[in-house]
Amino acid sequence: MLAVLGAVVVIVAASLVAGGGTGGADSDRVAQLREQEERRVAEQTRELTQLAGALYDALIPVLTALPEALPEKGAGPTPSADLASWRDVIDAGLAKFGDPPSGSTTTNMVRNGLHLSVQLLGSSLTAYESALAAEGDQRQRLHQLAVELRTQGVEAWAIAATQLDVLNSEAGQGHFHLYLNPDAAHHGHD
């Protein structure tokens, strides 16, 4: 329904421009539809900001502990007693993306970027588990794959977080910076 409303705004605006009409009733309706769409995007931005904050709080402990079990260089993966709890965090994060609302292109980009990030981090854990069970060259290749997937997950997050910051700023909700990096801070500010 909301996507239809957005399409109506575009069609009405295009009709007015093409027909040369900028009459009072038509332009009032276009303005009203634009205002409704801006409110919808602002509300979805608030929801996405809350989702991103909750995911961040859950994922940071995993990303802080994971380098010890899955170092970027040097020794191969080492078993961790926390693996099951890390998997629970990823599964809970993925569940938050169940049935997404109809959104604008920009809010959909943020939601999909956050979702992709959590999926990549889950794939990193799967590769880590496989590396632990493997031997020799295969163990090393799976270890490297797990590290690369973890990096890609953090990078996908960074893209989505940048767009989320832009949306917050455009909606007049201040800046909201999220860095899915254990060494960086996250914060909101005006």
Side-chain angles (χ1 to χ4, degrees), residues 50-65:
Q50 291 171 350
L51 172 64
L55 288 169
Y56 172 90
D57 290 341
L59 291 171
I60 278 295
V62 174
L63 290 171
T64 301

Side-chain angles (χ1 to χ4, degrees), residues 51-172:
L51 172 64
L55 288 169
Y56 172 90
D57 290 341
L59 291 171
I60 278 295
V62 174
L63 290 171
T64 301
L66 196 53
E68 185 175 321
L70 189 62
E72 284 192 39
K73 298 188 192 254
T78 58
S80 174
D82 296 323
L83 180 56
S85 66
W86 296 343
R87 180 60 68 189
D88 290 343
V89 167
I90 296 298
D91 291 344
L94 290 172
K96 294 180 186 290
F97 293 97
D99 187 22
S102 173
S104 68
T105 300
T106 53
T107 59
N108 286 341
M109 284 173 45
V110 171
R111 183 177 305 282
N112 292 337
L114 294 173
H115 191 193
L116 175 62
S117 174
V118 178
Q119 288 174 321
L120 286 165
L121 294 172
S123 295
S124 176
L125 290 182
T126 300
Y128 164 69
E129 287 177 285
S130 297
L132 290 174
E135 295 180 8
D137 289 343
Q138 184 180 21
R139 180 181 179 101
Q140 190 57 37
R141 282 193 304 274
L142 288 167
H143 171 229
Q144 189 58 42
L145 175 63
V147 169
E148 288 171 8
L149 288 166
R150 180 183 65 206
T151 299
Q152 291 169 9
V154 171
E155 289 172 352
W157 180 280
I159 294 167
T162 300
Q163 183 62 39
L164 181 59
D165 182 43
V166 170
L167 286 175
N168 270 292
S169 184
E170 287 176 351

Side-chain angles (χ1 to χ4, degrees), residues 23-43:
D26 289 339
S27 49
D28 288 347
R29 181 66 182 143
V30 169
Q32 181 184 30
L33 291 172
R34 281 189 183 139
E35 185 178 316
Q36 288 174 350
E37 177 66 9
E38 287 172 7
R39 281 196 307 265
R40 180 176 76 107
V41 169
E43 178 58 30

